[in-house]
Amino acid sequence: MHNSFVFVMIFGLLFTSENVGHQAEAAREFFVFGDSLVDNGNNNYLATTARADAYPYGIDYLTHRATGRFSNGLNIPDLISEQIGSEPTLPYLSPELTGQRLLVGANFASAGIGILNDTGVQFVNMIRIYQQLQYFRQYQERVSALIGPQQTQRLVNQALVLMTLGGNDFVNNYYLVPFSARSRQIALPDYVVYIISEYRKILMVNLPHHSDSYFAPLPSLLCSTTISKGIGTV
């Protein structure tokens, strides 16, 4: 069982990298949504306990300082940016995300969130997934003011999108305490089905026009990473 799980994780990462490579030529902007696996500093701007702004985070980063990434160095979006030959996306809440930097894309991810709204309540303040998508709409308005609505739609339609969600719905919800509210309400197999159905709603309702999507498991209990090209405006 353990060996199979490791194989799935490795296969998922290779599968993700391969598809990123195929899409890199057409991708101009890069948008990131999700949790701590892909948060690159948004939570630094929030009053929350889910933070990565102190040692040992960042010890292997170029500056050897914590950056808000839940990593000793680079994280998944950084590696993808390298593969597509782009500079790393800035956190959406960063005051540095202005002007031409907006045309690189943006990272909306926030550590602690899940597919469900009640996931991560112990962290007090986070950018939940529907708020991240609302910020994405706000982002498009900012870019439209910069280059016009038609050019904005073209850039967004050709963008690369990464969404990573699901692990916290187990670690920080279902298994948070020995007898969590969720675990008392619903059996694990049914909970898995419920999580998947809720994730489908997020993708179908809020990202309706993506032409190519790839789901790759990453090292989390249930973590689905979606990489898509051409999501359309929402």
Side-chain angles (χ1 to χ4, degrees):
M1 178 68 178
H2 175 72
N3 291 336
S4 298
F5 181 61
V6 172
F7 172 77
V8 169
M9 290 193 300
I10 293 173
F11 175 78
L13 287 169
L14 292 175
F15 183 66
T16 301
S17 301
E18 179 184 358
N19 286 301
V20 168
H22 288 319
Q23 298 181 68
E25 294 180 2
R28 170 77 180 275
E29 293 179 313
F30 181 28
F31 301 115
V32 182
F33 303 88
D35 54 28
S36 62
L37 286 178
V38 291
D39 184 355
N40 68 344
N42 277 310
N43 278 24
N44 283 358
Y45 301 95
L46 302 175
T48 178
T49 57
R51 303 173 69 92
D53 57 350
Y55 181 87
Y57 293 113
I59 57 175
D60 294 318
Y61 195 71
L62 183 63
T63 60
H64 303 294
R65 294 181 178 179
T67 61
R69 295 167 173 82
F70 285 74
S71 169
N72 59 304
L74 303 179
N75 63 6
I76 297 167
D78 293 322
L79 299 176
I80 293 176
S81 292
E82 287 184 352
Q83 289 295 313
I84 65 176
S86 176
E87 62 183 272
T89 55
L90 289 173
Y92 185 68
L93 298 184
S94 170
E96 298 178 9
L97 186 63
T98 58
Q100 293 298 309
R101 288 189 169 184
L102 284 165
L103 303 184
V104 175
N107 187 314
F108 303 91
S110 179
I113 75 155
I115 293 168
L116 305 180
N117 278 332
D118 63 329
T119 292
V121 292
Q122 68 272 28
F123 300 125
V124 182
N125 195 12
M126 303 168 295
I127 311 173
R128 301 191 184 281
I129 187 58
Y130 287 100
Q131 181 61 53
Q132 291 183 28
L133 293 164
Q134 181 60 45
Y135 278 150
F136 177 52
R137 298 183 183 93
Q138 186 183 91
Y139 164 89
Q140 293 176 72
E141 294 174 359
R142 294 172 62 186
V143 175
S144 292
L146 188 67
I147 62 174
Q150 290 185 341
Q151 181 73 348
T152 297
Q153 183 172 1
R154 185 183 71 82
L155 291 177
V156 169
N157 286 347
Q158 295 177 351
L160 187 69
V161 181
L162 172 68
M163 180 179 286
T164 300
L165 287 170
N168 286 322
D169 292 291
F170 290 85
V171 176
N172 289 308
N173 193 329
Y174 198 87
Y175 291 118
L176 180 61
V177 292
F179 300 101
S180 66
R182 284 288 182 184
S183 64
R184 292 196 302 268
Q185 292 171 351
I186 186 170
L188 183 58
D190 295 329
Y191 185 68
V192 172
V193 173
Y194 174 58
I195 289 293
I196 293 172
S197 69
E198 291 301 302
Y199 188 37
R200 183 179 293 112
K201 291 177 185 177
I202 293 169
L203 295 177
M204 298 305 294
V205 173
N206 294 283
L207 300 175
H209 304 303
H210 58 287
S211 57
D212 296 299
S213 296
Y214 303 96
F215 297 86
L218 289 170
S220 188
L221 288 181
L222 174 65
C223 179
S224 181
T225 297
T226 307
I227 297 182
S228 55
K229 184 187 81 173
I231 62 174
T233 53
V234 296

